[in-house]
Amino acid sequence: MSEITDSEYMALAVQAAQKGNGHTWTNPMVGAVIVKQQHVLAVGYHHRFGEAHAEIDALNQLASSADARGATMYVTLEPCSHFGKTPPCAKRLVSVGLRRVVIGQIDPNPLVAGKGIAILRTAGIAVEILATTQGLNPAYNFFYQHQRPQVTLKYAMSLDGKINAAQKARSYLTGPEAYRDSQQLRATHQAVMVGEHTALVDDPQLTVREVPIDWPPIRVVLLHDAAELPADAKLFEQQTPVWLLAATDSRHQWPDFVQVFVGEWSPAAVMALLQQQGIQSLLIEGGSRIHADYLAAGFADHMIVYVAPIILGGQGLPAIWSDQGKAGTYRLVNQTKLGLDTRFELRRTSDVYRHY
């Protein structure tokens, strides 16, 4: 019988990490597996933001921490080295006497970024880095590598590239399968944003309604005057955070879950605010001018486009509406049928990403 490889044990840790999807908020999904003499002693993962990290969760599965002495731990992300909501994991791994730690990737967070590895090696623990798990937390990695959120543009359009039959009326283009998929997409982002036209014409809730999630995305609206948003807007029906980014604010009292930021909100200014607030992923759902602005500014990293098999024609609103004549080049990474509709996923072709 052949021995199980490091990569196979790491795959178990990845599977465990994915159980935390939708529950870890700005923390990464992380999984850990403890192995001794080719036997898996424990499997752990980061269950929820603010709770025990994966390494500690795995150790807690053991009958005694003494069982970890001389064992190997496989962990998808470098153990932390600092005090946050929990104590440093690297120091705990030293204290239980692990012989070896295999790490899926170095943590890009500058609070860690090799410091956890240094603690382990200084204590005499053998450390190996597989560099195979970067795809587990793409927005987390992007945020620390580029000092801004990863931005996804999402829209549904007709075969002739229109998102509405008329500029001041909402058109429902796609079917229930695309709707459910878009809810899954929204659940994977920490903030979702629309412009003033979309907020007033579509009157969206911008909530996650089809997916269980502990930390719903912050709902962000770009406005000229925050008071233009009516008090009975659907946005205010649920008390999850709303950020209004406005040039002016003439309304003096807002619900407790609404925060107004007054300023000049260019794409670069929005990126700076979200970076300062620790938001790692932004989903922009409309409208066509907002999409054009972020494409022109170089902040559209990822695109999800749902195409419905219909023609709107006439004076329908185009999906990307701009007089700047500047966009970008993208490559198709996935194409999926969803009922009668087709979902296209695209990523920027250039490896050069705009910082704010």
Side-chain angles (χ1 to χ4, degrees):
M1 182 177 177
S2 60
E3 291 188 355
I4 300 176
T5 65
D6 286 345
S7 294
E8 290 171 320
Y9 283 126
M10 188 62 71
L12 291 177
V14 169
Q15 290 176 11
Q18 291 168 337
K19 295 178 181 179
N21 191 21
H23 307 293
T24 62
W25 187 226
T26 55
N27 284 354
M29 293 184 290
V30 183
V33 176
I34 302 173
V35 177
K36 195 171 186 178
Q37 297 175 347
Q38 288 286 298
H39 293 290
V40 174
L41 302 184
V43 178
Y45 69 99
H46 182 38
H47 289 239
R48 195 166 284 103
F49 180 77
E51 296 186 0
H53 289 184
E55 303 94 318
I56 308 307
D57 185 55
L59 289 171
N60 289 343
Q61 311 305 316
L62 300 174
S64 168
S65 60
D67 294 341
R69 183 164 298 278
T72 295
M73 175 176 283
Y74 296 84
V75 59
T76 58
L77 186 69
E78 176 184 2
C80 66
S81 56
H82 63 290
F83 282 90
K85 291 185 176 295
T86 59
C89 292
K91 292 185 177 180
R92 178 69 189 282
L93 300 190
V94 170
S95 71
V96 300
L98 288 174
R99 179 183 65 84
R100 180 170 172 254
V101 176
V102 181
I103 295 170
Q105 77 156 100
I106 297 173
D107 194 332
N109 185 338
L111 290 173
V112 187
K115 299 181 184 69
I117 293 170
I119 289 172
L120 298 175
R121 285 178 171 162
T122 299
I125 296 175
V127 177
E128 295 183 37
I129 303 163
L130 295 185
T132 57
T133 60
Q134 291 89 338
L136 189 56
N137 297 286
Y140 177 83
N141 289 326
F142 187 99
F143 180 80
Y144 288 109
Q145 290 164 358
H146 302 286
Q147 294 81 54
R148 68 168 177 86
Q150 186 177 53
V151 178
T152 298
L153 305 190
K154 168 256 176 181
Y155 56 88
M157 70 178 188
S158 62
L159 288 173
D160 55 339
K162 308 293 179 56
I163 60 174
N164 274 330
Q167 292 189 21
K168 293 187 178 180
R170 182 176 186 178
S171 300
Y172 292 90
L173 303 179
T174 52
E177 296 88 354
Y179 168 77
R180 287 192 290 270
D181 186 83
S182 68
Q183 285 283 300
Q184 290 277 355
L185 180 66
R186 193 179 282 176
T188 63
H189 287 77
Q190 293 165 8
V192 54
M193 185 172 77
V194 297
E196 180 174 310
H197 184 271
T198 300
L200 296 176
V201 173
D202 291 1
D203 192 20
Q205 291 178 283
L206 301 180
T207 53
V208 177
R209 299 181 290 279
E210 299 284 328
V211 184
I213 186 172
D214 291 339
W215 301 91
I218 294 167
R219 298 171 291 160
V220 182
V221 182
L222 291 170
L223 296 158
H224 174 67
D225 184 347
E228 293 176 4
L229 207 57
D232 62 350
K234 291 180 182 177
L235 197 69
F236 302 131
E237 290 179 355
Q238 292 195 27
Q239 296 185 18
T240 57
V242 173
W243 291 358
L244 304 181
L245 311 189
T248 60
D249 178 21
S250 56
R251 181 177 294 175
H252 299 294
Q253 187 170 1
W254 291 95
D256 291 341
F257 59 91
V258 176
Q259 189 169 357
V260 180
F261 298 85
V262 176
E264 296 297 326
W265 296 109
S266 66
V270 172
M271 290 295 99
L273 173 67
L274 296 183
Q275 191 274 339
Q276 291 163 7
Q277 299 290 326
I279 300 301
Q280 299 165 7
S281 57
L282 171 66
L283 178 65
I284 303 179
E285 295 199 5
S288 62
R289 284 195 178 275
I290 301 297
H291 284 156
D293 288 346
Y294 279 76
L295 279 163
F299 291 126
D301 310 304
H302 183 217
M303 297 180 70
I304 300 293
V305 181
Y306 302 94
V307 179
I310 60 176
I311 301 289
L312 291 180
Q315 300 299 310
L317 184 64
I320 306 292
W321 186 18
S322 173
D323 53 10
Q324 299 184 59
K326 180 181 177 183
T329 304
Y330 292 78
R331 63 183 175 87
L332 181 67
V333 296
N334 195 22
Q335 178 178 334
T336 309
K337 283 290 292 178
L338 296 172
L340 298 176
D341 309 311
T342 305
R343 178 192 194 266
F344 295 91
E345 179 178 1
L346 305 103
R347 293 192 183 276
R348 186 198 303 274
T349 55
S350 173
D351 290 331
V352 179
Y353 289 88
R354 276 290 310 278
H355 296 252
Y356 68 80

